[in-house]
Amino acid sequence: MRNLFRLFPLLLGLALISGAAPAFAGKRVALVLANSAYQHAPSLANPVNDGAVMAKTLKDAGFDVVESRHDLTALDTRRVLRDFADATRDADIAVVYYAGHGIEVEGSNYLIPVDAKLERDTDVYDEALSLDRVLVAVEPAKQLRLVILDACRDNPFGRTMKRTLASRGIGRGLAQVEPTSTNTLIAYSAKAGFTAQDGDGANSPFTLALSKHLTTPGLDVRRAFGFVRDDVLKSTGNKQEPFVYGSLGGEDVPLVPVRAAPAAAAAAAPASNPQADMRRDYELALQVGNKPAWEAFLAQHPDGFYANLAKLQLDKIQAEQVHAAAIEKAKQAEAERDRLAALGAQRDAQAKAAADAKAAEQAQLAAQKAKEQAQQQAAAAEQQRVNLAAAAPSAAPASTASPAGTNVAALTPATTPADLNRSVQTELGRVGCFSGQPDGNWNTSSQRSLSQFNRYAGTRLDVKVASTDALDVVKSKQSRVCPLVCDHGFKADGDKCTRIVCGDGYVLNSDNECEKQRAAKPAKAAKPATARRDDGEDRPARQRRGEAASGGIGAAAGIAAAAGAGRASGGGGQMYCSNSTGCRPVNRGCHLEYRGGGGPGNDANVEVCH
């Protein structure tokens, strides 16, 4: 017993060390899919290389199963997913990594196997693999289901496939998703609606950052993706921002558990930086972006610079909710006023309804103004935070921390009206409503473009100015809103108009179709102004007629010419003239042959019958 008490401190220390390790240390399985050698589209250089890097990273991290496959057809992909689903049934953590082409159709995401043709938009349902099918494969995992998609590339099929319905949307990049299963995260290499870069080297910037941070021992997977985001933004000049969809609980969920270390080494480890931790938590809350996330952040970090930023974000969300409620109340008041007017209610009741509608409209305008002000304040403060972080990314934010009570919204806005105008113009161009160059000048053309967006999107945005409200609404559209209109001589080719080229012998008609060109009628030969005459024409006409009747030289030549024409037509229309009997029609089936001579007593032409 005395020996047991002597060992108690050591046992307690070991228990504390092992207890500090995350609970997610059970069976871990992973599937790596990479498609480069597309049969009906240009090959991709990096996916197979990226898949090899991720497979090695997960194997080195101690995953129990790492299945790596590349350049799979649709049938092979389905079989691999089915087999992987069997492996996840007793797993705690299941990870699927995919690199290759992906496509978004009508708000749903699909992975494209190497044998897909996708000649028309409906072929995606038969030839591609939906993201939902991948989620089904990881669903049996007990504690974490993670799907990573490095598939936000510029998709060549979207430009060539035929549209069976003009209204069927084919988006750029992948569409935003909201996982329905708990403890599920879906990571994109770029935000929804944006494309990712392959990079200049053998691997994409996204995969390089994943291999660096994702399997850090003890690092929560959400914070790991935060580090990945920072690295990709830096390496792409802020052009590509990875994004994570889904949510987890309050405990840390690392892909690799912390290795047990001696107590002395643990005590010698440097203490974490509270400001750095606060910044990471703030960025995670910013990615989630809803009210509960900010409230949870403020409960954990109630004071300081990031707390003030979080309060501004909460104020913005509250203002947006108030604005939405004011819009709904104004609609109800207008409907009540119109209903009473249609029923012919008493004048005082109609007057009260009209006053209520006017008051609701004024409240809506005030709420919209408050919302835009809150959005501008939050955007200015967030831009200030980004600028400070870019200026000194490794420095502790203590120098930027604001004491309690400091008004962060008083910072100079980093977003000027011209920048806002340019952003709205850019987004309107992305959804097909603005065809000019984003120059920051909100002129008549820009107003007309926003008005066109209102008509096709069913919105009622103020077109006189470019507001943050308009920017948010247009950004929320993941595919084309305004229809593509092409001039005569052009046809729609994906999201642009291309000139129609007809083949040889075909011309473009008024219906914008190629039709066979009709041959031009030959022009009639004009009669010569003067007729040439031979020497015989110098003689009197009566003398020439006499020579023909008597079988002279002129008659022989003329009959010989008629004989040649008669052979071509089977004798029809020929005349046989002899010196003795005169002229008569050539018998049917016969023709004339010129035997030479001519003159009195000698016929130059003889009728030959078969």
Side-chain angles (χ1 to χ4, degrees):
M1 181 66 69
R2 187 175 301 170
N3 291 336
L4 180 61
F5 279 110
R6 188 181 300 122
L7 292 174
F8 181 77
L10 179 60
L11 294 174
L12 178 61
L14 291 175
L16 289 175
I17 292 173
S18 60
F24 302 100
K27 182 178 179 181
R28 297 168 297 163
V29 297
L31 173 63
V32 176
L33 301 175
N35 288 337
S36 286
Y38 281 90
Q39 300 171 12
H40 306 285
S43 297
L44 296 174
N46 286 347
V48 170
N49 299 332
D50 293 338
V53 168
M54 285 305 301
K56 183 178 185 304
T57 299
L58 296 171
K59 288 178 181 177
D60 293 344
F63 269 62
D64 299 280
V65 175
V66 178
E67 180 71 19
S68 179
R69 304 289 297 275
H70 64 86
D71 295 331
L72 296 182
T73 63
L75 179 60
D76 290 337
T77 306
R78 291 187 176 92
R79 288 173 175 168
V80 169
L81 288 173
R82 180 191 61 195
D83 295 340
F84 183 69
D86 294 337
T88 63
R89 296 192 184 282
D90 58 346
D92 295 284
I93 294 177
V95 179
V96 172
Y97 169 88
Y98 171 79
H101 275 312
I103 190 172
E104 177 260 313
V105 178
E106 291 291 296
S108 297
N109 299 310
Y110 298 86
L111 312 185
I112 303 180
V114 295
D115 61 340
K117 293 184 178 180
L118 302 185
E119 295 177 345
R120 58 186 67 83
D121 51 12
T122 53
D123 290 346
V124 71
Y125 306 124
D126 303 318
E127 300 177 8
L129 278 299
S130 71
L131 177 58
D132 292 337
R133 178 64 185 89
V134 179
L135 293 174
V136 169
V138 299
E139 191 172 13
K142 302 178 183 66
Q143 294 170 336
L144 174 64
R145 309 170 187 95
L146 175 60
V147 177
I148 305 172
L149 299 179
D150 193 357
C152 303
R153 293 170 171 83
D154 189 13
N155 176 33
F157 295 97
R159 296 189 297 269
T160 58
M161 65 172 52
K162 299 176 182 178
R163 308 291 181 93
T164 57
L165 286 177
S167 60
R168 180 172 286 115
I170 300 176
R172 184 170 178 259
L174 299 179
Q176 180 176 342
V177 291
E178 291 296 338
T180 57
S181 301
T182 58
N183 297 331
T184 301
L185 295 180
I186 302 176
Y188 287 180
S189 57
K191 265 186 179 180
F194 291 84
T195 56
Q197 301 181 19
D198 274 340
D200 299 328
N203 299 103
S204 71
F206 181 61
T207 297
L208 288 176
L210 284 175
S211 63
K212 179 179 177 182
H213 299 291
L214 190 61
T215 56
T216 301
L219 181 63
D220 179 72
V221 66
R222 291 161 292 192
R223 297 193 65 188
F225 279 111
F227 287 117
V228 170
R229 168 187 172 273
D230 291 348
D231 282 7
V232 174
L233 281 171
K234 183 177 179 181
S235 63
T236 62
N238 292 328
K239 295 180 181 179
Q240 178 181 336
E241 181 181 5
F243 220 78
V244 179
Y245 300 93
S247 63
L248 301 178
E251 296 185 30
D252 284 354
V253 186
L255 287 187
V256 180
V258 176
R259 297 185 180 93
S272 62
N273 187 337
Q275 289 291 339
D277 293 342
M278 190 182 302
R279 179 175 70 88
R280 295 297 176 191
D281 292 345
Y282 176 86
E283 290 174 350
L284 288 174
L286 188 64
Q287 282 198 2
V288 177
N290 56 23
K291 188 175 181 181
W294 291 117
E295 290 175 343
F297 174 83
L298 287 172
Q300 184 72 20
H301 310 286
D303 300 314
F305 176 73
Y306 291 106
N308 290 332
L309 293 181
K311 290 172 184 176
L312 287 177
Q313 296 290 345
L314 268 179
D315 291 343
K316 183 187 78 168
I317 294 174
Q318 181 67 23
E320 291 171 347
Q321 292 175 347
V322 171
H323 180 234
I327 291 176
E328 184 61 29
K329 188 173 181 180
K331 288 181 180 179
Q332 293 175 358
E334 290 178 3
E336 180 65 14
R337 180 194 61 192
D338 296 340
R339 185 185 70 82
L340 291 176
L343 294 176
Q346 294 182 357
R347 190 169 296 177
D348 56 347
Q350 292 190 35
K352 183 179 182 304
D356 292 342
K358 187 171 182 61
E361 183 180 0
Q362 292 176 348
Q364 175 187 343
L365 294 175
Q368 180 177 353
K369 186 175 181 180
K371 183 190 78 168
E372 291 179 356
Q373 183 179 3
Q375 288 176 334
Q376 291 173 359
Q377 290 177 349
E382 175 61 18
Q383 186 63 47
Q384 185 76 5
R385 180 191 70 82
V386 173
N387 292 341
L388 291 171
S394 59
S399 60
T400 64
S402 300
T406 300
N407 185 9
V408 182
L411 295 171
T412 302
T415 304
T416 64
D419 292 336
L420 181 59
N421 294 347
R422 191 177 296 106
S423 298
V424 177
Q425 289 172 335
T426 301
E427 290 301 317
L428 284 173
R430 181 181 61 82
V431 298
C433 300
F434 181 72
S435 58
Q437 290 294 328
D439 55 4
N441 182 18
W442 195 254
N443 51 22
T444 305
S445 175
S446 301
Q447 295 175 11
R448 191 182 304 114
S449 299
L450 185 55
S451 177
Q452 188 181 21
F453 176 85
N454 280 338
R455 182 164 67 253
Y456 289 103
T459 55
R460 300 176 63 182
L461 299 170
D462 185 4
V463 301
K464 296 180 182 179
V465 295
S467 62
T468 54
D469 190 18
L471 181 60
D472 291 341
V473 173
V474 180
K475 270 189 173 181
S476 67
K477 303 300 181 182
Q478 303 299 326
S479 58
R480 172 179 286 274
V481 173
C482 298
L484 181 64
V485 179
C486 300
D487 295 333
H488 181 264
F490 293 82
K491 64 179 178 179
D493 184 7
D495 286 336
K496 62 181 180 180
C497 297
T498 58
R499 184 178 295 277
I500 299 174
V501 179
C502 297
D504 293 340
Y506 287 81
V507 295
L508 190 70
N509 61 17
S510 58
D511 294 329
N512 235 27
E513 297 176 347
C514 292
E515 65 177 13
K516 193 168 184 179
Q517 188 174 13
R518 298 178 180 178
K521 294 183 179 179
K524 294 182 178 180
K527 293 182 178 180
T530 57
R532 296 182 58 190
R533 298 181 302 169
D534 58 11
D535 294 340
E537 292 178 348
D538 294 334
R539 290 168 289 174
R542 183 178 300 174
Q543 181 181 358
R544 284 185 271 116
R545 286 196 298 270
E547 289 178 356
S550 61
I553 297 175
I559 295 173
R567 282 193 296 271
S569 58
Q574 286 185 314
M575 298 293 293
Y576 172 55
C577 298
S578 68
N579 295 325
S580 58
T581 62
C583 295
R584 63 175 176 79
V586 175
N587 294 320
R588 187 174 183 83
C590 302
H591 66 275
L592 298 178
E593 287 185 2
Y594 177 66
R595 296 292 177 87
N602 185 17
D603 292 331
N605 299 283
V606 179
E607 183 179 5
V608 179
C609 301
H610 298 287

